[in-house]
Amino acid sequence: MKVAENNSPVANIDGISIKKTRSEETKRAWHRMKRSKLSLVGLTIVVIIILTAIFAPWIAPYPDHASGKIFFDKMNQPPSLEHIFGTDEVGRDIFSRIIFGARISLVLGFTVLSIAIVIGVPLGLIAGFWGGRVSTIIMRTTDIFLAIPSLVLALAVAAIMEATLMNIMIAISFGWWPWFTRLVQGEVLSLKGEQFVLASEGLGASKWRIAFTEILPNCVSTIIVKATLDMGFVILTGASLGFLGLGAQPPIPEWGTMIAEGRVYLPEMWWQATFPGLAILVTVLGFNLLGDGLRDVFDVQVDKEG
Amino acid sequence: MKEFIIKRTLHIIPVLLGLSILIFALSRIMPGDSIRLKLGPEATQQQIEAMEEEMGLNDPLPVQYWNYMKGAFQGDMGMSLQSNRNVAIDIFETFPATFELIIIAMAISIAIGVPLGVISAVRKDKWEDHSTRIVALSGIALPKFWVAIMLQIVFAYWFSLLPVVGRGEIAPTTITGLRLLDSLITLNFDAFITSVKHIILPSIALSIATTAQIMRLTRSNMLNQLNKDYILAARSYGLPKGMIVYKYMLKNAFASTLTIIGLSFGALLGNAFLVEAVFGWPGMAQYGVQGVIYKDYNAIVGVTLVIGVAFAVANLIVDVLYGILDPRIKYDS
Amino acid sequence: MSVKSEALLEIKGLKVNFKSFEGTAQVINGVSLKVNKGEVISLVGESGCGKSVTVRSILGLVPTPPAQFTNGDITFEGQSLLGLSEKEWQKIRGKGISMIFQDPMTALNPVFTIGQHLIDVYMWQGKRNTLFTSMKEKRELRKKGRARAIEILEKMRIPDPEGILERYPIELSGGMRQRIIIALALIHTPKLLIADEPGTALDVSVQDQILIELKRLVEMEGISMIFITHNLGVARMISDRVYVMYAGEVVEEATTQSLFSQSYHPYTQGLLSSIPKLNGQMGDGIDGRIPDFLNPPQGCRFYDRCSERMDHCSLTPPKLQTLSDGRKVSCHLFAEEVVGIHG
């Protein structure tokens, strides 16, 4: 008997849990979210970045600088009031380029995660719910895909394709879906024994029906939390590949590519490589904080822990 | 214990075989342009076909795979298009540099991450906890290649404290290929100091994310321990608080942290590709990046497989250590 | 009635609240109890009635926050415990007052051997830290600790104590682990032992054996004991006096003998009737559940479930009072002055 049991008497006394109402649950969730200031910071950052990406042409002081144009009169200027992050080797405003870069990073993140979810989640449902040989084959396949770091797998896949933004998204997705398969499979296994699933089974519902109408909706919060946390890491991976010259090619204002370009002019023109990196840091941090907060709110376990 | 190790090893083999098939198949999808790239723009169609024939690219895929694996087990991983040498030799020469970098980065991560995690847990919700957590969260979010560049700007360019690139000119006699170790074995202190100076920035850049991960996990594992009955029991016997924290809780927490250390090894292998590129570190990862750029498919397959094996071995070692620390593991099966 | 002797431990009007998002839960609502030297008392009640919180308060193991001690006092050998610092608590824990945990599966640290557990407790109980002890001293202490560990294991009639010391908890059966936990609590021969439902997680036959062992040891060493259980049968077997708790309050207190010959409080009667009879009939039990601690009823906390409730019971909470025969009960059925008002 733990002291904690007296801690929340509404939730559990005597081993019998009392069903909480939905509004009560939402209230508690919001309370947990509010209590953690860091996750609110994350939410704010994410909202700002999304708005920035949508309204980039209106926010950027020099919208035409996102292209490959050249401005000889403004080359290599350090940060100033006119160009707060300075200009690059062909005179483009780095701040404007970073703002447009938000679009690329978000598109990359959303696309990769969408592909990973579309492939990974159904496979996880099948592996978890059907079991047997199908499950073994699926889970062994994920083992193989996860046997090397995702960045290395993405590199190997990127090597066989032309370096474009689309291809790099495919390359990252190639190694990302197994995470969702594993996550969902684990979740399904734990949901399988629950009362409501057994009840539907008893009522003669088909397996497909149970999988998609009873089990999948119960995995949604876990998938959302995982996707939010992964968003940052996918963006980071995309920028890393861009930095290695395998992603979007200049003059596309991709943050990793911008750092690679700016690196050539070190150490004198330090601003060229510095500011795009800060943009990556803030974006990834924002999604991680929000993901952490959502994990507490939904009270789900998505980390691999021993 | 022996059974446990054998079982784990047997589990690894099919995974690595699957990985080799996957990577091999990927590499053969690669269009013939790698050979065209190699032979230059003047090469005739005949020359290209001759070379393809010579390299066995016209055989059916399963035959090519069989020949490749047969060769690989005898130390022949095919010709590298960038160096014109056998890929096995290239990897053999570049692997120690990467290995040395990763080991040092891992040592830094554990040495800093575990104590910070403990402090954060013990001082939960105090300023020490908040500041370490914010630093750790940022550490995970930092792009490694960018950190590497920032370290270069500050410590190499501005303050000229440390070298910008490379492993250093003064090299000790190669015994293990790990320069820090070799220079100590041969008592070559000039080489040792050079090697230390050169490895500081790359290893710090590489270790930051892992340090943050280990710190976070140690913290949450320690906090997990707080609610355990046996910790409450230890308090009820009148044991000193310090002993409960640093002996009773930490051993359990560290055993769980070990699992992330295995995974972190993979992250370090991946991030080495970025850090080596920035610091011109002559390791296997840089060789792999060059391979990707020059479409050197034998090099890509070779490097990927070696990384798969290294990752698997690292996880095996971690599992064994876990088994030693936590006797429950042995009885799980 | 036991002969009045010196009180070893006394709890007076203890009130403990737990603060959470939902509000303040009044988990312990004015509990008073006393343990005399050499006496064994039982604390009986359903799970969730505050038994564990009460005894953990005696060892200073209730975390504050979320808990708040709003009223009352706990005295041990005349010394008040509630204001103690962690260091002062540490001196009392294990040596003055010790505790046996309920679940043998979770109360032992899985990554240390039984020997490490016992020897550590022997060596470091009450010590501030391990840094200022010389290696030589440590060696000697360890030797003594080992000898004492073996001695206590032998006293508990555990076969091959030397071998057991090298084992990890997972290698032992539940019953054996429960014995080790008892040994850990007894290694410094405390004056007061708190037993939190030991053996409930085990087979009934194993549990009986362990309880007999425990009773024998406690008598042999002259240790006082607070025994927590939800099982009145066990309480009858082991204790001199019984406190019946309901929803954070003591509702009845009596010597074991008198309680089992006639129980007064309707709750106690309900508990007694829920014991299966020898003739094979299942007990009646009590319907319903413990009330919400967040919004406790205005009157008697047992009102909803009581078979003999009266109108004013829902309005006025009863007080624990001594009856003419010296027994204590908290129920309006026995409170003439209240009945008088409404009668």
Side-chain angles (χ1 to χ4, degrees):
Chain A
M1 191 196 290
K2 287 189 191 109
V3 175
E5 86 177 23
N6 289 322
N7 206 340
S8 53
V10 175
N12 192 329
I13 291 174
D14 227 3
I16 306 159
S17 56
I18 301 163
K19 187 117 183 116
K20 284 170 280 176
T21 64
R22 187 146 197 98
S23 71
E24 220 178 302
E25 223 164 275
T26 321
K27 232 168 71 187
R28 286 169 67 97
W30 180 239
H31 172 78
R32 277 198 291 262
M33 182 93 185
K34 265 200 316 203
R35 210 174 37 185
S36 136
K37 290 193 187 80
L38 285 181
S39 40
L40 286 184
V41 172
L43 181 65
T44 316
I45 293 175
V46 168
V47 168
I48 290 174
I49 288 167
I50 291 174
L51 292 178
T52 306
I54 294 172
F55 298 106
W58 293 276
I59 295 170
Y62 306 93
D64 55 331
H65 287 210
S67 65
K69 288 186 187 155
I70 295 171
F71 306 91
F72 286 113
D73 52 329
K74 287 181 172 176
M75 274 160 47
N76 295 326
Q77 288 181 8
S80 62
L81 279 180
E82 202 181 337
H83 301 283
I84 57 167
F85 289 171
T87 61
D88 65 9
E89 73 283 359
V90 289
R92 294 172 301 194
D93 179 47
I94 291 177
F95 180 61
S96 302
R97 289 178 65 73
I98 286 177
I99 284 177
F100 275 90
R103 290 184 157 187
I104 291 160
S105 287
L106 288 185
V107 165
L108 179 124
F110 280 124
T111 313
V112 168
L113 288 172
S114 307
I115 297 175
I117 287 172
V118 166
I119 298 172
V121 170
L123 285 176
L125 271 177
I126 293 169
F129 207 71
W130 270 261
R133 189 171 294 169
V134 184
S135 168
T136 312
I137 292 171
I138 294 175
M139 296 323 286
R140 283 281 169 274
T141 312
T142 65
D143 283 348
I144 291 168
F145 277 81
L146 298 178
I148 47 170
S150 53
L151 182 66
V152 179
L153 187 57
L155 269 173
V157 177
I160 64 169
M161 300 187 289
E162 241 180 295
T164 64
L165 184 62
M166 192 59 222
N167 284 345
I168 212 67
M169 293 194 286
I170 294 171
I172 300 173
S173 316
F174 195 79
W176 219 278
W177 64 268
W179 292 111
F180 284 92
T181 305
R182 279 199 178 175
L183 183 78
V184 172
Q185 187 241 10
E187 194 82 341
V188 172
L189 285 183
S190 68
L191 283 171
K192 235 168 141 179
E194 298 266 337
Q195 285 303 322
F196 66 95
V197 176
L198 296 175
S200 319
E201 235 166 313
L203 290 172
S206 78
K207 279 197 164 188
W208 285 102
R209 204 186 145 76
I210 297 171
F212 283 92
T213 63
E214 301 287 341
I215 290 188
L216 187 58
N218 279 287
C219 298
V220 168
S221 56
T222 316
I223 294 169
I224 289 175
V225 172
K226 168 83 177 153
T228 313
L229 281 169
D230 276 8
M231 187 77 183
F233 294 115
V234 171
I235 291 175
L236 207 52
T237 309
S240 303
L241 292 169
F243 175 75
L244 291 175
L246 295 167
Q249 295 299 308
I252 297 173
E254 198 276 319
W255 292 336
T257 317
M258 285 169 72
I259 296 175
E261 285 183 280
R263 199 181 146 223
V264 183
Y265 305 96
L266 288 179
E268 290 78 16
M269 281 143 251
W270 54 269
W271 56 89
Q272 290 197 22
T274 305
F275 292 110
L278 282 177
I280 300 173
L281 169 63
V282 172
T283 308
V284 178
L285 188 60
F287 279 105
N288 285 358
L289 289 174
L290 178 63
D292 263 4
L294 288 179
R295 181 174 47 195
D296 293 345
V297 167
F298 290 120
D299 198 19
V300 292
Q301 192 92 42
V302 293
D303 281 351
K304 228 182 118 78
E305 273 176 330
Chain B
M1 202 57 179
K2 208 185 255 168
E3 270 171 58
F4 175 71
I5 296 173
I6 291 170
K7 228 181 69 192
R8 288 299 190 160
T9 316
L10 287 179
H11 183 79
I12 291 172
I13 290 169
V15 172
L16 286 180
L17 274 179
L19 177 69
S20 68
I21 293 172
L22 176 72
I23 297 299
F24 193 81
L26 273 177
S27 77
R28 303 298 138 142
I29 297 170
M30 199 183 285
D33 57 354
S34 57
I35 290 178
R36 193 163 284 131
L37 205 73
K38 162 82 181 163
L39 295 177
E42 296 95 50
T44 64
Q45 192 60 32
Q46 269 170 330
Q47 278 175 303
I48 291 171
E49 275 167 18
M51 180 127 180
E52 278 178 352
E53 183 63 41
E54 188 194 319
M55 297 184 82
L57 292 177
N58 294 331
D59 295 333
L61 212 54
V63 175
Q64 286 189 42
Y65 174 73
W66 175 251
N67 289 335
Y68 180 85
M69 289 309 279
K70 221 166 57 185
F73 276 104
Q74 294 158 358
D76 172 14
M77 301 176 99
M79 197 68 104
S80 161
L81 294 174
Q82 48 178 321
S83 70
N84 282 327
R85 297 194 303 176
N86 198 297
V87 169
I89 297 174
D90 284 341
I91 290 179
F92 185 77
E93 277 181 10
T94 51
F95 182 75
T98 301
F99 187 66
E100 184 171 40
L101 185 60
I102 286 177
I103 291 297
I104 298 292
M106 186 57 96
I108 293 174
S109 301
I110 295 173
I112 298 176
V114 171
L116 281 186
V118 172
I119 291 170
S120 200
V122 172
R123 309 284 303 160
K124 184 173 183 284
D125 293 331
K126 307 266 166 40
W127 68 267
E128 294 95 328
D129 182 31
H130 291 308
S131 43
T132 17
R133 286 177 75 193
I134 290 169
V135 169
L137 279 167
S138 318
I140 292 170
L142 280 170
K144 288 86 207 168
F145 54 95
W146 182 75
V147 176
I149 292 171
M150 292 301 118
L151 289 172
Q152 273 182 335
I153 294 182
V154 175
F155 294 99
Y157 291 120
W158 288 359
F159 295 117
S160 304
L161 285 173
L162 294 162
V164 182
V165 293
R167 285 181 97 186
E169 286 74 51
I170 315 169
T173 325
T174 304
I175 300 169
T176 59
L178 309 174
R179 287 200 178 174
L180 291 172
L181 194 61
D182 286 350
S183 57
L184 282 179
I185 293 173
T186 56
L187 299 175
N188 186 344
F189 292 110
D190 288 341
F192 183 72
I193 288 165
T194 313
S195 303
V196 169
K197 275 187 175 169
H198 280 81
I199 207 167
I200 289 177
L201 292 184
S203 56
I204 289 177
L206 191 55
S207 69
I208 283 179
T210 310
T211 307
Q213 291 279 22
I214 290 178
M215 185 247 125
R216 273 165 61 100
L217 203 71
T218 305
R219 176 183 185 271
S220 78
N221 288 336
M222 287 292 280
L223 290 178
N224 242 333
Q225 293 294 315
L226 277 179
N227 302 323
K228 298 284 186 193
D229 268 9
Y230 52 78
I231 295 302
L232 200 65
R235 286 180 64 201
S236 83
Y237 305 139
L239 289 173
K241 196 181 170 201
M243 185 171 199
I244 293 174
V245 171
Y246 293 103
K247 184 170 176 180
Y248 281 65
M249 286 166 66
L250 189 56
K251 192 174 176 191
N252 281 285
F254 189 69
S256 317
T257 305
L258 266 178
T259 53
I260 200 83
I261 288 177
L263 288 177
S264 297
F265 196 80
L268 288 178
L269 279 167
N271 291 329
F273 279 75
L274 303 162
V275 171
E276 288 191 4
V278 174
F279 286 101
W281 191 262
M284 184 180 70
Q286 201 185 19
Y287 176 68
V289 172
Q290 296 295 325
V292 170
I293 291 165
Y294 292 112
K295 309 249 177 237
D296 183 355
Y297 59 88
N298 276 337
I300 296 169
V301 175
V303 169
T304 316
L305 288 183
V306 169
I307 284 180
V309 173
F311 191 21
V313 170
N315 275 315
L316 183 66
I317 293 171
V318 163
D319 282 348
V320 171
L321 285 178
Y322 195 4
I324 292 171
L325 275 183
D326 189 338
R328 281 174 299 180
I329 303 305
K330 280 178 280 182
Y331 293 89
D332 259 5
S333 51
Chain C
M1 289 283 299
S2 62
V3 182
K4 281 281 169 242
S5 56
E6 217 180 321
L8 180 67
L9 178 102
E10 206 165 357
I11 300 179
K12 278 184 197 153
L14 187 71
K15 281 195 182 185
V16 185
N17 291 344
F18 277 78
K19 275 208 154 162
S20 70
F21 167 62
E22 291 93 349
T24 303
Q26 300 166 14
V27 171
I28 304 293
N29 190 28
V31 164
S32 299
L33 60 82
K34 195 164 91 169
V35 189
N36 295 319
K37 279 189 181 149
E39 192 185 29
V40 176
I41 66 157
S42 280
L43 216 53
V44 184
E46 291 162 287
S47 50
C49 72
K51 296 168 295 182
S52 281
V53 177
T54 306
V55 294
R56 281 175 194 203
S57 304
I58 301 171
L59 275 168
L61 293 178
V62 179
T64 48
Q68 284 176 313
F69 287 82
T70 53
N71 193 24
D73 197 9
I74 304 175
T75 50
F76 177 68
E77 297 188 303
Q79 179 194 12
S80 169
L81 297 182
L82 282 188
L84 291 189
S85 69
E86 191 64 20
K87 258 180 258 161
E88 292 164 322
W89 269 120
Q90 206 202 316
K91 294 244 192 286
I92 291 178
R93 291 179 193 144
K95 207 158 203 161
I97 309 172
S98 211
M99 178 153 165
I100 300 171
F101 279 72
Q102 178 183 28
D103 188 352
M105 299 303 162
T106 59
L108 290 170
N109 196 325
V111 303
F112 290 97
T113 61
I114 303 304
Q116 282 171 309
H117 275 94
L118 286 162
I119 295 169
D120 272 350
V121 174
Y122 180 83
M123 286 172 75
W124 306 114
Q125 187 284 330
K127 305 249 167 61
R128 273 189 67 184
N129 57 48
T130 59
L131 298 175
F132 302 112
T133 315
S134 72
M135 286 308 280
K136 196 175 152 227
E137 236 176 297
K138 275 189 195 170
R139 252 199 315 276
E140 271 167 24
L141 264 174
R142 191 163 290 127
K143 231 171 103 186
K144 277 199 215 159
R146 206 184 146 80
R148 171 66 182 150
I150 291 170
E151 182 193 5
I152 191 99
L153 292 180
E154 275 169 351
K155 265 192 194 165
M156 300 218 51
R157 299 186 187 160
I158 291 174
D160 184 24
E162 301 246 0
I164 290 278
L165 292 185
E166 309 306 322
R167 302 283 201 88
Y168 283 96
I170 191 160
E171 299 171 298
L172 304 179
S173 69
M176 195 57 87
R177 288 194 222 182
Q178 187 71 67
R179 279 168 225 253
I180 302 294
I181 291 166
I182 295 173
L184 275 164
L186 291 178
I187 197 159
H188 285 289
T189 327
K191 293 178 181 129
L192 175 64
L193 181 66
I194 297 165
D196 189 353
E197 307 206 37
T200 4
L202 305 171
D203 283 350
V204 180
S205 60
V206 181
Q207 187 190 356
D208 279 353
Q209 258 179 4
I210 285 173
L211 291 183
I212 293 165
E213 282 302 306
L214 183 62
K215 175 102 174 138
R216 185 179 60 87
L217 271 173
V218 166
E219 270 168 13
M220 202 165 73
E221 310 273 340
I223 298 169
S224 313
M225 177 157 78
I226 301 179
F227 193 90
I228 302 176
T229 179
H230 59 270
N231 185 337
L232 272 172
V234 172
R236 181 178 202 169
M237 178 181 113
I238 211 154
S239 56
D240 306 325
R241 274 190 308 128
V242 177
Y243 288 83
V244 180
M245 271 188 84
Y246 181 77
E249 291 167 352
V250 171
V251 293
E252 183 163 3
E253 176 200 333
T255 61
T256 310
Q257 212 185 357
S258 56
L259 187 85
F260 282 91
S261 56
Q262 196 194 357
S263 56
Y264 289 171
H265 197 282
Y267 177 63
T268 318
Q269 288 166 358
L271 278 182
L272 276 170
S273 76
S274 63
I275 301 172
K277 304 291 182 313
L278 275 176
N279 59 19
Q281 240 186 325
M282 275 306 288
D284 301 333
I286 317 165
D287 291 332
R289 282 187 291 108
I290 290 180
D292 186 355
F293 284 101
L294 288 169
N295 304 297
Q298 187 196 347
C300 177
R301 289 191 169 194
F302 190 57
Y303 178 78
D304 281 346
R305 301 167 73 182
C306 186
S307 55
E308 300 179 37
R309 60 184 171 212
M310 300 174 288
D311 288 344
H312 60 272
C313 291
S314 67
L315 303 170
T316 333
K319 287 197 183 84
L320 189 70
Q321 46 193 314
T322 314
L323 304 182
S324 50
D325 57 0
R327 290 173 59 170
K328 287 181 184 171
V329 67
S330 165
C331 179
H332 289 311
L333 285 173
F334 300 88
E336 278 126 41
E337 67 271 42
V338 181
V339 176
I341 292 167
H342 289 266

